[in-house]
């Protein structure tokens, strides 16, 4: 841990700290929504420790709370987290070898992956990855416990707008990717398919059908100079 903090520059440490706090707030939202939706406190807490994947956890709880099948919720969660396969391949040297691969893979999030990819040196990338991952893990789980305890008191979390917190964070994360025309087209097709299917299908299935939007994704053509090489 000392080497991590010695390697991080103050500016990067500050940014990681702010993101950890923001994720803790989203964790409060998740805990409150889960318990307010009728789940016992131990369910969101256990999911947060064992699964530790905010998007998948929100999706799972949302589908189950809406009466959807737990299997559909699990499949949807796995599909959402399938991007971690690419993350793992890209950051294999950052996570390290041996026993470090297990906790390193568990604390993988969009945020600490982004922090690691933004560094030039391997040591800096490792420090950013581990500091972000451990910090987010701690803040997220503390937030879930606090939110879960609050959710047992607050009967309607919608009044405080907590239900909108995580969708807002997700939207902020995907907005940069939507600058690409092909990605934007695939996303729009997925949204249309999901909205059209929602009135007719059980909760969870419209999300899976939204993956049809990937059929409309077209990878960009390589630059001319790369083709010449």
């Amino acid at each position: 841990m000392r080497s991590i903090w010695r390697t991080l520059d103050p500016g990067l440490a500050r940014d990681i700290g702010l993101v950890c706090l923001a994720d803790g707030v989203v964790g409060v939202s998740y805990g409150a929504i889960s318990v307010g939706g009728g789940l016992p406190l131990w369910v969101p807490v256990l999911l947060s420790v064992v699964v530790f994947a905010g998007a998948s956890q929100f999706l799972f709880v949302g589908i189950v709370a809406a009466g959807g099948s737990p299997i559909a919720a699990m499949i949807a969660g796995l599909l959402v987290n399938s991007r971690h396969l690419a993350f793992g391949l890209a950051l294999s040297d950052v996570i390290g070898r041996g026993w470090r691969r297990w906790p390193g893979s568990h604390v993988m999030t969009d945020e600490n992956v982004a922090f690691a990819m933004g560094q030039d040196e391997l040591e800096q990338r490792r420090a950013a990855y581990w500091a972000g991952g451990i910090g987010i893990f701690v803040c997220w789980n503390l937030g879930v416990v606090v939110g879960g305890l609050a959710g047992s008191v607050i009967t309607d979390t919608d009044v405080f707008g907590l239900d909108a917190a995580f969708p807002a964070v997700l939207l902020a994360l995907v907005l940069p990717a939507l600058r690409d025309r092909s990605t934007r087209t695939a996303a729009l097709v997925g949204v249309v398919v999901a909205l059209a299917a929602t009135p007719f299908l059980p909760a969870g299935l419209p999300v899976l059908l939204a993956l049809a939007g990937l059929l409309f994704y077209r990878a960009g053509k390589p630059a001319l100079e790369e083709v010449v090489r």
Side-chain angles (χ1 to χ4, degrees):
M1 288 295 292
R2 288 184 178 177
S3 62
I4 291 177
W5 295 113
R6 281 200 298 263
T7 305
L8 289 176
D9 65 68
L12 180 58
R14 179 202 59 203
D15 293 343
I16 290 175
L18 291 174
V19 169
C20 290
L21 290 176
D23 278 13
V25 173
V26 179
V28 172
S29 168
Y30 169 71
I33 290 172
S34 300
V35 175
L39 295 176
L41 176 61
W42 67 267
V43 173
V45 171
L46 181 63
L47 281 174
S48 295
V49 174
V50 177
V51 178
F52 186 51
S56 296
Q57 290 177 231
F58 266 102
L59 194 58
F60 183 89
V61 169
I63 291 174
V64 172
S69 164
I71 295 177
M74 182 185 68
I75 294 174
L78 288 174
L79 288 173
V80 168
N81 264 17
S82 61
R83 68 191 186 283
H84 283 207
L85 291 173
F87 290 168
L89 292 173
L91 296 174
S92 177
D93 58 337
V94 173
I95 296 173
R97 300 182 180 280
W99 64 269
R100 291 183 179 82
R101 285 190 178 277
W102 293 95
S105 300
H106 190 58
V107 299
M108 180 182 291
T109 65
D110 296 327
E111 294 89 334
N112 67 334
V113 167
F115 277 124
M117 297 293 287
Q119 310 308 310
D120 295 324
E121 303 295 333
L122 179 59
E123 287 303 316
Q124 292 177 336
R125 297 173 74 188
R126 282 178 176 166
Y129 180 87
W130 283 99
I134 294 172
I136 291 171
F137 183 83
V138 172
C139 291
W140 171 263
N141 282 285
L142 287 176
V144 171
V145 173
V146 173
L149 293 174
S152 62
V153 178
I154 301 171
T155 56
D156 186 5
T157 55
D158 294 356
V159 173
F160 297 92
L162 295 178
D163 56 321
F166 193 69
V169 171
L170 284 183
L171 182 61
L173 288 174
V174 302
L175 276 179
L178 296 181
R179 293 172 183 164
D180 176 71
R181 183 176 181 180
S182 187
T183 302
R184 190 167 59 248
T185 301
L188 287 175
V189 172
V191 168
V192 171
V193 170
L195 290 177
T198 296
F200 308 104
L201 296 177
L205 290 182
V207 176
L208 299 179
L209 287 179
L211 293 174
L214 293 176
L215 298 175
F216 293 83
Y217 179 79
R218 298 291 181 271
K221 295 180 180 179
L224 180 59
E225 55 270 24
E226 294 181 357
V227 173
V228 172
R229 290 175 188 170

